[in-house]
Amino acid sequence: MELPEAWQRAVVPPLPSAGPDVVGEFARTIYGSTPVGGELTDLVLRSRDSGAFDRLHHRAVITCPLGDLELDTTTHLPAGASPQHPAPLVVALTFKADDAPPASVLEAGYAVLTVDYQQIEPDDPNAHGGVRTLFEAGSWGAVAAWAWGLTRLLDIAGGIDGVDPANAVVLGHSRLGKAALWAGAQDERFAVTVANGSGCCGAALFRHPGGEDIAAITSRFPHWFVPSFSSYAGRESELPVDQDQLLASIAPRRVYITSAEDDAWADPVGEYLAVVAAQPAFGPNGIGYHLRPGTHDLLEEDWLHALDFAKQ
């Protein structure tokens, strides 16, 4: 892939050194500490739509310390998937309950397990309910709650015939790309983590000027992070971490970052530089990057590039 001139000219800025507890530092500084708990206690198949590709609808009950969370999940199965021949799995949150993966993903042999992200935690700083209310008071933001949900989806996959949860791929776009990265950093069962257009607090470096910054993101979405994170607005150079460390923390498991050339708010150059800076933590083919023309969206080609990488 030939990168545009702006990418070729870009230089990795000075970055902080990683301490001994990188994931813990990200929890304290940005995302919050995910509490222990949340057990799958019931999984019921509610319907199965058969066609070129089967679609399964399950109701899952996750028992938390202060109550139960019920999730309505959708599993898209490729042709030929069965308990005897389970399909490799992609786990993803969606922005709407009826969002479906491209048919070409299923034709490539993957099963895709999804749930509407707001079933896990409302995307509203003034909303009540959500999984964070089902734990004793703690400091974790909505991005961490959605990441917790991705881990629960992997638990759910173990009870669904026709899918193989081993070596699963976790994939997310935009704010859900941030959640995918945080899930991948914490749950070693995810073999490949894919973040598409994840931008600020996702794959993009804080210390690369461009796109959304801490002041903008914490003003619009204060509920995504720990409250103290907003104190770094305008002080990005004082952060004890940067996002290359988050990518590197997933090694030796694999990471794939995708950007769109005109997705300026997500700072695609900053995403690319984070991949460059994280590269030494990975072996050959351990981290990949793709840039396509266009704007902020998750397209079929993004899925296919990521899954081609996952197969390597």
Side-chain angles (χ1 to χ4, degrees):
M1 171 181 59
E2 175 118 12
L3 293 173
E5 186 178 347
W7 276 250
Q8 295 181 39
R9 292 198 316 265
V11 176
V12 175
L15 297 171
S17 299
D21 182 20
V22 173
V23 173
E25 193 64 67
F26 275 97
R28 291 184 290 272
T29 305
I30 301 175
Y31 305 108
S33 297
T34 305
V36 176
E39 180 183 355
L40 175 66
T41 53
D42 195 27
L43 182 64
V44 176
L45 178 62
R46 304 189 73 180
S47 66
R48 181 172 189 142
D49 305 325
S50 297
F53 308 108
D54 286 358
R55 185 170 58 185
L56 285 63
H57 300 281
H58 286 84
R59 168 66 59 86
V61 178
I62 312 294
T63 298
C64 302
L66 301 182
D68 291 343
L69 180 72
E70 295 186 354
L71 300 176
D72 293 311
T73 68
T74 302
T75 306
H76 296 83
L77 288 179
S82 69
Q84 295 75 32
H85 302 284
L89 176 67
V90 179
V91 168
L93 302 181
T94 60
F95 288 99
K96 295 183 294 185
D98 59 353
D99 283 349
S104 56
V105 171
L106 304 177
E107 289 166 357
Y110 281 90
V112 183
L113 172 58
T114 65
V115 70
D116 180 343
Y117 80 121
Q118 294 203 72
Q119 287 191 38
I120 299 163
E121 182 69 24
D123 194 1
D124 182 342
N126 302 311
H128 298 286
V131 70
R132 290 187 294 169
T133 67
L134 301 179
F135 287 83
E136 300 291 345
S139 180
W140 53 316
V143 169
W146 300 325
W148 175 94
L150 286 163
T151 283
R152 300 287 76 79
L153 282 182
L154 195 51
D155 296 340
I156 290 166
I160 299 176
D161 290 340
V163 304
D164 181 4
N167 300 313
V169 176
V170 58
L171 179 148
H173 167 63
S174 194
R175 66 198 63 184
L176 304 181
K178 308 179 205 302
L181 287 171
W182 189 227
Q186 296 179 95
D187 192 334
E188 294 185 357
R189 295 177 298 169
F190 289 120
V192 180
T193 299
V194 180
N196 179 78
S198 57
C200 181
C201 302
L205 292 174
F206 290 111
R207 287 167 172 82
H208 177 261
E212 192 171 24
D213 58 15
I214 295 174
I217 203 168
T218 57
S219 295
R220 294 185 64 198
F221 308 110
H223 57 297
W224 287 2
F225 312 106
V226 294
S228 58
F229 179 54
S230 62
S231 68
Y232 285 98
R235 300 169 49 226
E236 278 82 354
S237 63
E238 298 177 37
L239 277 168
V241 292
D242 214 320
Q243 297 307 95
D244 63 301
Q245 295 175 9
L246 183 62
L247 305 186
S249 75
I250 300 172
R253 292 169 295 120
R254 304 173 70 216
V255 172
Y256 195 75
I257 303 300
T258 66
S259 301
E261 193 170 346
D262 297 321
D263 188 9
W265 196 234
D267 186 15
V269 175
E271 293 179 322
Y272 167 70
L273 291 177
V275 172
V276 172
Q279 178 68 60
F282 295 88
N285 300 316
I287 188 168
Y289 176 78
H290 173 70
L291 176 70
R292 62 161 172 80
T295 57
H296 191 67
D297 201 355
L298 177 61
L299 303 182
E300 179 179 20
E301 66 178 285
D302 300 318
W303 280 89
L304 295 180
H305 279 293
L307 295 179
D308 283 346
F309 172 83
K311 289 178 180 177
Q312 293 176 10

